[in-house]
Amino acid sequence: MVNIDSITSTSSFSNPMLRLLSLYGVSNIRSFLVGFLANLFARLSDLVPPFLLGVAIDSIILQDKPFSIPFLSNSTLPQYPISQFWLVVFLIVSSFVLSAILHWFRNWGWNSFSQNIQHAIRVDTYAHLQNLNMGFFDRKHKGELMSILSNDVNRLEIFLNDGLNSIFRLAAMVLGIAILLFYMNPALAVVSLFTIPIIAFFTHNFTKSIQPKYAHVRDSVGKLHSRLNQNLNAIQLIKLYNTESYESSRVEKTSLDYYNANWDSITTRIKFFPSLQVISGIGFTMTFLVGGFWVISGDILWISPRPLHAGEFVTFMLLHQQLVWPMTQFGQVINIYQRARASTVRIFGLIDETNLLPEKPNASELVVDSGKIIYQNVSFGYSRDKVLSDISFKVGKGESLAIVGHSGSGKSTLLRLLLRLYDIDHGSITIDGNDVRDLSLKSLRDQIGYVGQDIFLFHGTVRENIQYGSFTATEEEIIQSSKAAESHDFIMNLPSGYDTIVGERGIKLSGGQRQRIAIARALLKDPPIFIFDESTSDVDTPTESLILDFIKTHNSEKTILSIAHRLSTIQDSTNILVLQEGVIIEYGTSEELLHKKGLYFDLWNSRNI
């Protein structure tokens, strides 16, 4: 893996592909070298058969030239045609065997190189993503993030394996063939290669044209994935409100945007590739015309005074055909590169996201002693919308603070600030005198057990969900926390008990069962501070009373902050804080607040009838 700090500090790279290879290629240099060198020598080996074929035709079959093979001394070569023929056969077969071996090493090297980088960048991108603050996730669609982590990262494999491999393979082929053509016949080589500058010109124009179009494609596919992900998560709501046709039309519109963007890139691409084939075909035809007349006439004075032998001409045409194929494939490589470039821009755009909760280099480790939590003149707002204003209160070990108020008054936000899911705008929040912004995030959240109203269970067993975050807990501890959360009995009645699969987001369980498992998870963590955000809203009143009685009885040394769905369950809290539009309007015990006959009194009468 690559250090995230080194990733975000390299944003000065103007070319995202260069940045990708610089950050991740160095650590995989061994695989790269194996693939590169095997690729190079495999391509050189592929040039041997057509060259030997020309030698065999001219020197053995037609006997127009003396038998000679480069890099082999004439004194070591056989003198008789049949022996020379078998030597050529042996060398051709050997070159094919060697080429097969080299191609295996080439495939191993490039696949290893691409898979390692793909794995590393996916893990690094996800690691950075989960360190971003909640404000980032509030404004980003989850489907778009999934598109980057999945589709865009997977698209890199095509470039790193096929594309990058093809770049070196085609470069080796073109360079090797060009050298061999000039070695055999410089004059005819000039005729064969005159189309290369034209191809380079067309490729340059294609690259400039296709690059922004692929960026548009990647952006539109991210929006499509976001729409589909959102709708699948809301499938029950869609059915209940009979909005299937409405949602289908929205998906159709988003899909059409992607279709139009993709079709725009396709039309550009399908114009380019045939053009390359035509240009390459012109080069092949010119080589055949000039070479053919040369062989027939014996010489072409305006090109060269020497004759062109038939075998040499056959070799030339075979090599030129091998040159034509890379030229036509080069456009495909550019296409792969531009697609990967668009994906890499999106990946590094996510990695370069700086919306992090700052953590001081010398952040303190929180060790809770008195468990005293103090909010001092705290104000907070999402973007420009102020949610909380000048909030001040304190609560300590053995005390419980309940927070009540109308929906949207800022209750849940108030408690999330303690966990630093968001940072406050003004004021301070301290635990035992330590400002939460001076503490390491890990130590802060280790000391707090949180159960929210939106319960999330992973697809897995009941045991795994209770044990989540307390991975070393014993079976006995798991059962004890389950009994405390009034969940042990219903768990034992499940088909496989604690080994029952709960389904995605706990879909196989009722709302109350999910809440009790979440409470058991928090109790198993056994932190000094508990936060309960309407954590028993789906539990029946008798069960809720049993859970709360256990928490109060067995956690008398804990600091407890809670938001309750039913006010009768918090009447024994040490203090109750009443919020209205982000401002504390009442504070005191339940009895004191009922006596004041303010908002708490109204809420009590409306919710406890």
Side-chain angles (χ1 to χ4, degrees), residues 210-347:
I210 203 69
Q211 184 172 309
K213 295 182 179 183
Y214 278 146
H216 187 200
V217 169
R218 297 314 307 154
D219 181 62
S220 60
V221 76
K223 291 178 179 178
L224 176 59
H225 284 193
S226 176
R227 170 59 60 195
L228 293 173
N229 180 69
Q230 183 172 258
N231 282 23
L232 289 175
N233 285 332
I235 194 66
Q236 179 173 293
L237 180 65
I238 292 171
K239 289 179 177 294
L240 291 174
Y241 281 83
N242 292 319
T243 56
E244 289 90 346
S245 59
Y246 171 72
E247 293 302 335
S248 291
S249 65
R250 293 214 292 179
V251 169
E252 181 181 9
K253 180 182 181 302
T254 309
S255 179
L256 184 61
D257 291 340
Y258 170 63
Y259 169 86
N260 290 331
N262 205 26
W263 186 248
D264 186 30
S265 68
I266 289 171
T267 53
T268 302
R269 189 170 69 244
I270 61 179
K271 292 175 185 176
F272 174 64
F273 293 147
S275 300
L276 284 189
Q277 291 178 321
V278 170
I279 296 170
S280 300
I282 291 173
F284 180 82
T285 304
M286 289 296 297
T287 304
F288 179 75
L289 284 173
V290 174
F293 278 119
W294 196 339
V295 172
I296 293 170
S297 64
D299 65 79
I300 298 181
L301 293 177
W302 57 275
I303 292 183
S304 174
R306 78 173 183 85
L308 179 66
H309 297 284
E312 184 181 5
F313 177 58
V314 170
T315 298
F316 217 95
M317 293 308 300
L318 288 174
L319 290 175
H320 189 276
Q321 185 61 29
Q322 290 193 36
L323 181 67
V324 169
W325 178 79
M327 287 294 97
T328 58
Q329 290 294 306
F330 191 67
Q332 185 64 36
V333 173
I334 294 296
N335 183 53
I336 292 173
Y337 170 83
Q338 289 300 331
R339 282 180 174 272
R341 189 184 190 280
S343 292
T344 306
V345 168
R346 280 163 54 85
I347 292 169

Side-chain angles (χ1 to χ4, degrees), residues 495-531:
S496 300
Y498 282 86
D499 293 317
T500 301
I501 300 295
V502 301
E504 187 174 358
R505 299 182 67 91
I507 191 65
K508 295 182 179 180
L509 304 178
S510 68
Q513 290 172 332
R514 289 196 295 271
Q515 283 193 329
R516 281 180 277 174
I517 287 178
I519 293 170
R521 180 163 60 197
L523 293 176
L524 181 62
K525 185 179 180 181
D526 193 29
I529 300 170
F530 277 109
I531 293 177

Side-chain angles (χ1 to χ4, degrees), residues 303-464:
I303 292 183
S304 174
R306 78 173 183 85
L308 179 66
H309 297 284
E312 184 181 5
F313 177 58
V314 170
T315 298
F316 217 95
M317 293 308 300
L318 288 174
L319 290 175
H320 189 276
Q321 185 61 29
Q322 290 193 36
L323 181 67
V324 169
W325 178 79
M327 287 294 97
T328 58
Q329 290 294 306
F330 191 67
Q332 185 64 36
V333 173
I334 294 296
N335 183 53
I336 292 173
Y337 170 83
Q338 289 300 331
R339 282 180 174 272
R341 189 184 190 280
S343 292
T344 306
V345 168
R346 280 163 54 85
I347 292 169
F348 281 124
L350 187 56
I351 287 178
D352 289 338
E353 176 63 54
T354 58
N355 199 355
L356 296 163
L357 277 175
E359 187 173 69
K360 294 183 178 180
N362 58 344
S364 305
E365 297 296 311
L366 176 62
V367 178
V368 176
D369 180 21
S370 65
K372 178 172 286 188
I373 298 169
I374 299 177
Y375 279 59
Q376 187 69 41
N377 305 120
V378 171
S379 296
F380 172 77
Y382 298 105
S383 187
R384 296 181 179 179
D385 300 324
K386 182 166 285 191
V387 177
L388 299 169
S389 298
D390 199 28
I391 301 294
S392 296
F393 66 84
K394 60 183 177 179
V395 58
K397 181 191 293 186
E399 297 179 341
S400 59
L401 175 71
I403 303 168
V404 300
H406 289 300
S407 178
S409 60
K411 303 186 296 296
S412 296
T413 299
L414 182 66
L415 296 184
R416 289 171 186 167
L417 294 176
L418 181 61
L419 287 154
R420 280 199 77 198
L421 293 177
Y422 304 90
D423 261 344
I424 61 176
D425 297 329
H426 302 287
S428 66
I429 301 175
T430 62
I431 300 177
D432 287 350
N434 300 293
D435 193 305
V436 294
R437 291 167 292 189
D438 296 331
L439 300 170
S440 72
L441 287 171
K442 184 180 186 306
S443 69
L444 170 66
R445 293 167 183 171
D446 277 344
Q447 301 300 311
I448 301 174
Y450 176 84
V451 184
Q453 51 189 312
D454 184 16
I455 303 299
F456 188 93
L457 298 183
F458 289 94
H459 180 77
T461 66
V462 172
R463 177 184 290 100
E464 289 168 342

